[in-house]
Amino acid sequence: GPVVALLTFAQAVFAGSFLAGYFDALDDHKNNSTITVAATAVMIVAALLLWRPGHGPIWPAWVSVLYFVVLALQTFLGYRRALAIHIPLGTAIIAAIVLLFVRAWRPFPGRPPRNTAARHERELVGERR
């Protein structure tokens, strides 16, 4: 989550530095791309562990896989120098990671928490009747 968000923001900083004339930043952009994709793969594993053994929601796993696919496409486009797609997609990725980061750390309003302890307590109260 947060690590992938920071790495993604770093991509924009490296790209901006390159466009501003710091040509060594292109190597940083390339290397950080590899690290970001790898960190996203780790994020997929964490999301799957949250879902299955952790009994959490499945949406983080699906979003992580989608994010991984989009980053892989973005990396491919960057290496192909397809900048007409690479730059707008990079902008969309930054917007998406901000939305995901906010969503991951903020519960939906008005929705009861998925708390297994609270559910267990309700079950116990029901058994006492």
Side-chain angles (χ1 to χ4, degrees):
V3 172
V4 171
L6 287 174
L7 290 167
T8 301
F9 281 117
Q11 282 299 89
V13 171
F14 294 138
S17 295
F18 172 72
L19 293 174
Y22 300 102
F23 300 114
D24 290 341
L26 187 59
D27 286 335
D28 296 333
H29 185 71
K30 180 184 90 168
N31 294 333
N32 191 60
S33 171
T34 302
I35 295 167
T36 305
V37 171
T40 304
V42 172
M43 186 172 72
I44 291 169
V45 172
L48 289 172
L49 290 173
L50 170 71
W51 170 54
R52 265 295 113 191
H55 303 290
I58 192 170
W59 73 263
W62 286 115
V63 169
S64 297
V65 169
L66 177 63
Y67 198 73
F68 181 86
V69 169
V70 170
L71 284 183
L73 173 64
Q74 178 70 339
T75 301
F76 172 78
L77 292 170
Y79 278 109
R80 299 283 301 181
R81 304 273 194 257
L83 299 181
I85 303 169
H86 182 75
I87 292 173
L89 182 57
T91 304
I93 288 170
I94 292 293
I97 200 67
V98 168
L99 293 174
L100 287 173
F101 189 77
V102 168
R103 172 58 190 102
W105 292 98
R106 217 172 83 181
F108 281 121
R111 228 174 152 181
R114 285 183 65 162
N115 185 341
T116 55
R119 184 175 46 218
H120 182 67
E121 183 179 328
R122 285 192 304 272
E123 291 170 358
L124 287 176
V125 170
E127 288 176 10
R128 292 182 192 152
R129 292 183 183 181

